[in-house]
């Protein structure tokens, strides 16, 4: 029996754990950045079953899943993807949910010293890390202010709540003349501790 109605639809299994407590276990993950509406199945609760009665003044309920956010913007100098051996400035936009880079392209603006700059997004695979190349940035333009804005209205994949306001991150162009550590992050992968070190430019891994 489907005791509840979810909008958007959410399949799963029900279990009465007490006479007055119903547990629902979803069979798939909740959609990101979404509002979920919950209604009682009145067909069931309008009848007497096992001593339960439907109370006609119960209102529909709702909750929302974590909203889309730009968690981090990584910026570094690295080799171009065209195998030319030239170096260009690159960004990694790290979101808390998966996005389609092609859609990000329509909602992003990048400025250097308040001037729009050209950029490319080389990938269009679903991901939470969006790579961006900025070929127009001169290697001598270090320490200039750069501003990355994701415009309101953007929707991540599977969401029904768009960004209600712009997200803007301000940074400074890194120096290409000096290798520096941007940040150090810790995490666990399959219960194994991982330390990730991000630098301001690519580093050769050849011993």
């Amino acid at each position: 029996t489907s005791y509840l109605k979810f909008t958007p639809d959410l399949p799963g299994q029900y279990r009465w754990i007490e006479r007055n407590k119903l547990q629902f276990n979803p069979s798939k993950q909740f959609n990101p950045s979404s509002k979920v509406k919950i209604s009682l199945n009145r067909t069931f609760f309008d009848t007497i079953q096992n001593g339960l009665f439907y109370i006609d003044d119960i209102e529909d309920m709702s909750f929302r899943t974590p909203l889309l956010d730009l968690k981090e913007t990584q910026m570094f100098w690295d080799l171009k993807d065209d195998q030319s051996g030239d170096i260009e400035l690159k960004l990694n936009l790290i979101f808390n949910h998966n996005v389609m880079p092609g859609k990000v392209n329509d909602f992003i603006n990048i400025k250097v010293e308040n001037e729009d700059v050209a950029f490319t997004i080389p990938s269009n695979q679903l991901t939470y890390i969006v790579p961006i190349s900025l070929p127009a940035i001169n290697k001598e333009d270090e320490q200039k202010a750069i501003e990355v804005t994701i415009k309101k209205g953007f929707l991540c994949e599977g969401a029904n709540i768009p960004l209600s306001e712009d997200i803007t991150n301000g940074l400074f162009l890194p120096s290409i003349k000096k290798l520096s550590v941007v940040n150090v992050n810790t995490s666990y992968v399959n219960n194994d501790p991982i330390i990730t070190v991000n630098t301001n430019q690519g580093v050769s891994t050849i011993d």
Side-chain angles (χ1 to χ4, degrees):
T1 301
S2 294
Y3 299 102
L4 304 174
K5 178 183 177 182
F6 294 90
T7 307
D9 185 52
L10 185 65
Q13 296 182 333
Y14 297 88
R15 184 168 71 95
W16 287 99
I17 55 179
E18 295 181 19
R19 287 176 60 85
N20 66 337
K21 187 177 294 185
L22 176 65
Q23 178 176 287
F24 175 74
N25 296 319
S27 58
K28 69 173 188 177
Q29 292 184 340
F30 292 114
N31 289 339
S33 195
S34 294
K35 180 179 179 179
V36 181
K37 180 181 176 182
I38 308 173
S39 305
L40 293 177
N41 183 344
R42 298 178 185 274
T43 302
F44 175 80
F45 286 98
D46 277 343
T47 61
I48 301 174
Q49 289 196 13
N50 300 325
L52 293 173
F53 294 86
Y54 172 66
I55 302 176
D56 61 6
D57 61 354
I58 293 181
E59 297 181 353
D60 293 342
M61 300 160 283
S62 66
F63 66 92
R64 72 180 188 187
T65 55
L67 299 177
L68 177 69
D69 192 20
L70 179 59
K71 296 175 58 180
E72 184 182 355
T73 301
Q74 298 175 347
M75 184 164 50
F76 53 96
W77 297 99
D78 202 3
L79 294 174
K80 290 185 176 181
D81 297 326
D82 59 7
Q83 310 299 318
S84 66
D86 292 334
I87 293 175
E88 67 181 0
L89 186 68
K90 295 186 177 182
L91 301 176
N92 282 334
L93 303 184
I94 303 179
F95 294 89
N96 62 333
H97 299 310
N98 284 331
V99 299
M100 288 298 294
K103 292 182 179 179
V104 174
N105 188 77
D106 297 330
F107 284 86
I108 189 173
N109 179 256
I110 301 177
K111 294 177 180 288
V112 173
E113 297 293 329
N114 295 317
E115 296 289 337
D116 290 344
V117 295
F119 62 88
T120 59
I121 300 180
S123 171
N124 198 33
Q125 296 183 342
L126 186 66
T127 179
Y128 69 96
I129 301 178
V130 177
I132 297 177
S133 298
L134 294 100
I137 301 298
N138 192 296
K139 288 181 284 189
E140 304 301 321
D141 288 341
E142 58 184 68
Q143 293 305 305
K144 287 188 176 181
I146 182 169
E147 187 177 84
V148 180
T149 299
I150 306 298
K151 301 174 185 176
K152 66 179 181 180
F154 178 66
L155 270 173
C156 62
E157 291 305 293
N160 61 27
I161 301 178
L163 282 180
S164 60
E165 57 185 24
D166 293 350
I167 298 177
T168 299
N169 279 1
L171 308 96
F172 288 94
L173 295 178
S175 172
I176 197 172
K177 301 174 184 177
K178 182 179 179 181
L179 176 67
S180 61
V181 175
V182 177
N183 57 41
V184 178
N185 298 315
T186 60
S187 60
Y188 281 88
V189 176
N190 297 325
N191 293 322
D192 293 326
I194 299 293
I195 298 176
T196 303
V197 179
N198 294 308
T199 62
N200 69 330
Q201 53 188 281
V203 178
S204 174
T205 58
I206 299 176
D207 294 332

